[in-house]
Amino acid sequence: NAGVTQTPKFQVLKTGQSMTLQCAQDMNHNSMYWYRQDPGMGLRLIYYSASEGTTDKGEVPNGYNVSRLNKREFSLRLESAAPSQTSVYFCASSPRLGAETQYFGPGTRLLVL
Amino acid sequence: SQKIEQNSEALNIQEGKTATLTCNYTNYSPAYLQWYRQDPGRGPVFLLLIRENEKEKRKERLKVTFDTTLKQSLFHITASQPADSATYLCALEGNAGNMLTFGGGTRLMVKP
């Protein structure tokens, strides 16, 4: 089992460009999450999906959109990247919402110039 | 306002000693608290969960305490090893919608 996988590992964008971060899990989990991690700020929740077909805003959703494509995949889209979105993005999954353990992917490092 | 505080300064200790990391929180009433380990360039990995009705939980060299009166959790690594060097994050169930909220993490450096 690969667990949670994310692509790409690293990306450089220019301000105003768009991109989609991909996430997939093979643990048959119902719930998936997108976080960003900035120095000294901890992990902050951007969006989450309680189950296939549902998505909800987290703490810092502005500038992002998500799609729960199926039970396995949850993508994060930046429509018009800004330098403030330079960060490391982590996808995570859990058996159900509020489940006690979350399983994280390896992260995507994004630099917006 | 809600806050989770972990010491942002790195903790440096000698191999073999016990490392103690602190997680303090305000304006939360979590049903449980978790600790994660994060190595550079990697995602967090779950270590331990402790529930509000548990005072202490152990797993091998790890021990976690949870004091809901003090609103504090302590994370101990006994007989520390250089391989324990990492950033340790505490996370607790937030007040809204069962979401986990993470502290900023404390970096532990174990020197041989």
Side-chain angles (χ1 to χ4, degrees), chain B:
Chain B
S1 63
Q2 295 179 324
K3 198 182 290 187
I4 302 172
E5 291 182 326
Q6 294 186 257
N7 195 340
S8 58
E9 290 183 15
L11 176 64
N12 294 293
I13 66 166
Q14 206 65 35
E15 182 177 8
K17 301 292 186 185
T18 295
T20 298
L21 285 69
T22 304
C23 176
N24 295 303
Y25 60 92
T26 54
N27 293 323
Y28 284 99
S29 298
Y32 54 82
L33 187 146
Q34 305 182 36
W35 284 88
Y36 286 77
R37 170 183 172 139
Q38 187 174 21
D39 292 288
R42 297 188 174 235
V45 174
F46 171 78
L47 295 175
L48 278 170
L49 177 149
I50 185 164
R51 300 182 189 282
E52 61 179 338
N53 61 349
E54 298 174 314
K55 295 286 186 200
E56 180 179 300
K57 183 164 264 189
R58 293 175 185 260
K59 179 183 175 182
E60 297 172 354
R61 295 184 295 110
L62 308 180
K63 184 178 85 170
V64 171
T65 63
F66 191 11
D67 189 324
T68 55
T69 301
L70 289 179
K71 295 188 182 295
Q72 180 182 77
S73 175
L74 298 178
F75 177 80
H76 306 271
I77 305 176
T78 58
S80 59
Q81 305 166 0
D84 295 325
S85 298
T87 296
Y88 292 86
L89 309 170
C90 72
L92 50 85
E93 178 199 21
N95 292 337
N98 294 325
M99 290 299 107
L100 271 187
T101 302
F102 286 82
T106 297
R107 186 174 173 211
L108 173 66
M109 300 283 291
V110 181
K111 298 184 179 179

